Amino acid sequence: MNIKIDNSLYVTAVATGITKEETVKSVPTHRIIIYDRSGSMWGVLRDVVNDICSLVEAFSKDDLVSIGWFSGEGQFRFICKGMACTNKAAIKSAVKQTESTVGMTCFSEIAADAVTVAQEIKSFGNLPTSLTFLTDGNPVVSNYGKEMANLRLALRNLAILVENSVFVGYGSWYNRETLTS
């Protein structure tokens, strides 16, 4: 079954065979969202921002959220770290202020910073961590080989800290090979 969350955002639900009595209650989770503000995202960035706002709205008030954006080398920032989802309007407002594109595309720096954010939040209570990464998957950097090696290292470090992750490709030109690897 497909569930429509927003105009271009769907979740596919698959029956697990678990009965209603076996359903596990929602556990407070640290939700890390990272998104691409590079120039190649100019046609879909507003959709990305709206999708993030829809996700935030769906989170439990007991969840914590850390949201970061990235663009070219040296252009990345977390706009909130470990913020309680009790003030969703403030979180969504901060995200909406980033609807403009910035530069090229460098994944590894924000991914490395996400490792630090995940470690810091785990030190306060060891919540499960979820990662959502939204991009068109096309790195444009001065040294592509170094970028991919640094990205793989950051993602290996994140894998130790993150219980689940979703990588979402935007636009008809998204780099499926990079996102899949």
Short mmCIF file of all heavy atoms in Angstrom, two decimals, residues 76-108:
data_model
loop_
_atom_site.label_atom_id
_atom_site.label_comp_id
_atom_site.label_asym_id
_atom_site.label_seq_id
_atom_site.Cartn_x
_atom_site.Cartn_y
_atom_site.Cartn_z
N PHE A 76 28.56 23.96 4.56
CA PHE A 76 27.64 23.03 5.22
C PHE A 76 27.38 23.55 6.62
O PHE A 76 28.18 24.28 7.18
CB PHE A 76 28.22 21.61 5.27
CG PHE A 76 29.45 21.49 6.13
CD1 PHE A 76 29.36 21.05 7.44
CD2 PHE A 76 30.71 21.82 5.62
CE1 PHE A 76 30.49 20.94 8.23
CE2 PHE A 76 31.84 21.71 6.41
CZ PHE A 76 31.73 21.26 7.72
N ARG A 77 26.24 23.13 7.17
CA ARG A 77 25.91 23.60 8.51
C ARG A 77 24.70 22.84 9.04
O ARG A 77 23.77 22.55 8.30
CB ARG A 77 25.60 25.09 8.46
CG ARG A 77 25.14 25.73 9.73
CD ARG A 77 25.14 27.24 9.59
NE ARG A 77 23.87 27.79 9.23
CZ ARG A 77 22.90 28.04 10.09
NH1 ARG A 77 23.04 27.76 11.36
NH2 ARG A 77 21.76 28.57 9.68
N PHE A 78 24.73 22.54 10.31
CA PHE A 78 23.53 22.03 10.98
C PHE A 78 22.76 23.24 11.48
O PHE A 78 23.31 24.08 12.20
CB PHE A 78 23.89 21.09 12.14
CG PHE A 78 24.02 19.67 11.70
CD1 PHE A 78 25.23 19.19 11.23
CD2 PHE A 78 22.92 18.83 11.70
CE1 PHE A 78 25.35 17.89 10.80
CE2 PHE A 78 23.02 17.53 11.26
CZ PHE A 78 24.24 17.04 10.81
N ILE A 79 21.49 23.35 11.10
CA ILE A 79 20.67 24.48 11.54
C ILE A 79 20.03 24.20 12.89
O ILE A 79 19.58 25.12 13.57
CB ILE A 79 19.61 24.90 10.49
CG1 ILE A 79 18.69 23.74 10.15
CG2 ILE A 79 20.29 25.45 9.26
CD1 ILE A 79 17.59 24.11 9.17
N CYS A 80 19.98 22.92 13.28
CA CYS A 80 19.59 22.55 14.64
C CYS A 80 20.22 21.21 14.97
O CYS A 80 20.43 20.38 14.07
CB CYS A 80 18.07 22.53 14.82
SG CYS A 80 17.18 21.32 13.84
N LYS A 81 20.54 21.04 16.23
CA LYS A 81 21.16 19.79 16.70
C LYS A 81 20.43 19.34 17.96
O LYS A 81 20.39 20.06 18.96
CB LYS A 81 22.63 20.01 17.04
CG LYS A 81 23.51 20.38 15.88
CD LYS A 81 24.94 20.61 16.35
CE LYS A 81 25.82 21.06 15.20
NZ LYS A 81 27.20 21.31 15.67
N GLY A 82 19.85 18.16 17.89
CA GLY A 82 19.19 17.59 19.05
C GLY A 82 18.03 18.41 19.58
O GLY A 82 17.75 18.41 20.77
N MET A 83 17.34 19.10 18.68
CA MET A 83 16.21 19.94 19.09
C MET A 83 14.97 19.08 19.34
O MET A 83 14.65 18.20 18.55
CB MET A 83 15.92 20.97 18.00
CG MET A 83 14.94 22.01 18.40
SD MET A 83 14.95 23.35 17.18
CE MET A 83 13.78 24.44 17.90
N ALA A 84 14.30 19.33 20.44
CA ALA A 84 13.08 18.60 20.76
C ALA A 84 12.00 18.94 19.74
O ALA A 84 11.87 20.08 19.33
CB ALA A 84 12.61 18.95 22.17
N CYS A 85 11.23 17.95 19.37
CA CYS A 85 10.15 18.15 18.38
C CYS A 85 8.90 18.72 19.03
O CYS A 85 7.80 18.56 18.50
CB CYS A 85 9.84 16.84 17.67
SG CYS A 85 11.04 16.43 16.40
N THR A 86 9.04 19.39 20.15
CA THR A 86 7.89 20.01 20.80
C THR A 86 7.53 21.33 20.14
O THR A 86 6.40 21.78 20.26
CB THR A 86 8.17 20.24 22.30
OG1 THR A 86 9.40 20.97 22.43
CG2 THR A 86 8.28 18.92 23.04
N ASN A 87 8.48 21.95 19.44
CA ASN A 87 8.20 23.21 18.73
C ASN A 87 8.46 23.00 17.24
O ASN A 87 9.44 23.50 16.69
CB ASN A 87 9.05 24.35 19.29
CG ASN A 87 8.61 25.70 18.75
OD1 ASN A 87 7.82 25.78 17.80
ND2 ASN A 87 9.12 26.75 19.34
N LYS A 88 7.56 22.27 16.62
CA LYS A 88 7.72 21.94 15.20
C LYS A 88 7.66 23.17 14.32
O LYS A 88 8.33 23.24 13.29
CB LYS A 88 6.65 20.92 14.79
CG LYS A 88 6.84 19.59 15.48
CD LYS A 88 5.75 18.60 15.10
CE LYS A 88 5.96 17.29 15.84
NZ LYS A 88 5.01 16.27 15.44
N ALA A 89 6.91 24.18 14.72
CA ALA A 89 6.80 25.40 13.92
C ALA A 89 8.16 26.09 13.80
O ALA A 89 8.53 26.56 12.73
CB ALA A 89 5.77 26.35 14.53
N ALA A 90 8.92 26.13 14.88
CA ALA A 90 10.25 26.76 14.85
C ALA A 90 11.21 25.98 13.97
O ALA A 90 11.99 26.57 13.22
CB ALA A 90 10.81 26.89 16.27
N ILE A 91 11.14 24.66 14.05
CA ILE A 91 12.01 23.82 13.22
C ILE A 91 11.69 24.04 11.75
O ILE A 91 12.59 24.27 10.92
CB ILE A 91 11.86 22.33 13.60
CG1 ILE A 91 12.30 22.11 15.05
CG2 ILE A 91 12.66 21.44 12.64
CD1 ILE A 91 11.93 20.75 15.61
N LYS A 92 10.41 23.99 11.41
CA LYS A 92 10.00 24.17 10.01
C LYS A 92 10.34 25.57 9.51
O LYS A 92 10.76 25.74 8.37
CB LYS A 92 8.50 23.86 9.85
CG LYS A 92 8.18 22.40 10.11
CD LYS A 92 6.76 22.02 9.80
CE LYS A 92 5.76 22.70 10.66
NZ LYS A 92 4.39 22.23 10.46
N SER A 93 10.22 26.57 10.35
CA SER A 93 10.57 27.94 9.97
C SER A 93 12.05 28.04 9.64
O SER A 93 12.44 28.68 8.64
CB SER A 93 10.20 28.90 11.10
OG SER A 93 10.64 30.20 10.80
N ALA A 94 12.89 27.42 10.45
CA ALA A 94 14.34 27.44 10.19
C ALA A 94 14.67 26.76 8.87
O ALA A 94 15.51 27.24 8.10
CB ALA A 94 15.09 26.77 11.35
N VAL A 95 14.01 25.65 8.59
CA VAL A 95 14.25 24.92 7.33
C VAL A 95 13.78 25.76 6.14
O VAL A 95 14.48 25.86 5.13
CB VAL A 95 13.55 23.54 7.35
CG1 VAL A 95 13.63 22.87 5.98
CG2 VAL A 95 14.17 22.65 8.41
N LYS A 96 12.63 26.40 6.25
CA LYS A 96 12.09 27.19 5.14
C LYS A 96 12.99 28.37 4.78
O LYS A 96 12.95 28.85 3.66
CB LYS A 96 10.68 27.66 5.45
CG LYS A 96 9.66 26.53 5.33
CD LYS A 96 8.26 27.06 5.29
CE LYS A 96 7.27 25.95 5.02
NZ LYS A 96 7.23 25.54 3.63
N GLN A 97 13.83 28.82 5.71
CA GLN A 97 14.76 29.91 5.42
C GLN A 97 15.93 29.47 4.55
O GLN A 97 16.75 30.29 4.16
CB GLN A 97 15.27 30.51 6.73
CG GLN A 97 14.19 31.22 7.51
CD GLN A 97 14.71 31.75 8.84
OE1 GLN A 97 15.86 32.11 8.97
NE2 GLN A 97 13.82 31.80 9.82
N THR A 98 15.99 28.18 4.22
CA THR A 98 17.10 27.65 3.41
C THR A 98 16.64 27.16 2.04
O THR A 98 17.22 26.24 1.49
CB THR A 98 17.82 26.51 4.16
OG1 THR A 98 16.91 25.41 4.33
CG2 THR A 98 18.34 26.96 5.51
N GLU A 99 15.61 27.78 1.49
CA GLU A 99 15.07 27.33 0.20
C GLU A 99 15.89 27.77 -1.00
O GLU A 99 15.54 27.44 -2.12
CB GLU A 99 13.63 27.83 0.03
CG GLU A 99 12.63 27.07 0.85
CD GLU A 99 11.19 27.49 0.55
OE1 GLU A 99 10.96 28.59 0.01
OE2 GLU A 99 10.29 26.71 0.87
N SER A 100 16.99 28.49 -0.79
CA SER A 100 17.80 28.93 -1.93
C SER A 100 19.03 28.04 -2.08
O SER A 100 19.55 27.49 -1.11
CB SER A 100 18.24 30.39 -1.73
OG SER A 100 19.00 30.50 -0.54
N THR A 101 19.50 27.89 -3.32
CA THR A 101 20.69 27.10 -3.57
C THR A 101 21.94 27.93 -3.23
O THR A 101 21.88 29.15 -3.17
CB THR A 101 20.76 26.62 -5.03
OG1 THR A 101 20.74 27.76 -5.89
CG2 THR A 101 19.59 25.71 -5.36
N VAL A 102 23.07 27.23 -3.03
CA VAL A 102 24.27 27.91 -2.56
C VAL A 102 25.44 27.74 -3.55
O VAL A 102 25.99 28.72 -4.00
CB VAL A 102 24.69 27.41 -1.17
CG1 VAL A 102 25.95 28.11 -0.70
CG2 VAL A 102 23.56 27.63 -0.16
N GLY A 103 25.87 26.54 -3.87
CA GLY A 103 27.06 26.36 -4.69
C GLY A 103 27.12 24.98 -5.32
O GLY A 103 26.13 24.51 -5.86
N MET A 104 28.26 24.35 -5.23
CA MET A 104 28.48 23.02 -5.83
C MET A 104 27.99 21.93 -4.87
O MET A 104 27.11 22.18 -4.07
CB MET A 104 29.96 22.85 -6.16
CG MET A 104 30.46 23.90 -7.13
SD MET A 104 29.49 23.91 -8.64
CE MET A 104 30.77 24.03 -9.84
N THR A 105 28.62 20.73 -4.91
CA THR A 105 28.15 19.63 -4.07
C THR A 105 29.31 18.87 -3.44
O THR A 105 30.13 18.29 -4.15
CB THR A 105 27.31 18.62 -4.90
OG1 THR A 105 26.32 19.33 -5.63
CG2 THR A 105 26.64 17.60 -4.00
N CYS A 106 29.34 18.87 -2.11
CA CYS A 106 30.34 18.12 -1.34
C CYS A 106 29.61 17.43 -0.21
O CYS A 106 29.10 18.08 0.69
CB CYS A 106 31.42 19.07 -0.81
SG CYS A 106 32.64 18.28 0.24
N PHE A 107 29.54 16.10 -0.27
CA PHE A 107 28.82 15.31 0.74
C PHE A 107 29.62 15.05 2.01
O PHE A 107 29.08 14.98 3.09
CB PHE A 107 28.48 13.91 0.21
CG PHE A 107 27.65 13.87 -1.03
CD1 PHE A 107 28.04 13.07 -2.09
CD2 PHE A 107 26.48 14.58 -1.13
CE1 PHE A 107 27.26 12.99 -3.23
CE2 PHE A 107 25.70 14.51 -2.26
CZ PHE A 107 26.10 13.69 -3.31
N SER A 108 30.91 14.82 1.86
CA SER A 108 31.70 14.23 2.94
C SER A 108 31.78 15.09 4.19
O SER A 108 31.80 14.57 5.30
CB SER A 108 33.11 13.90 2.44
OG SER A 108 33.79 15.08 2.06
#
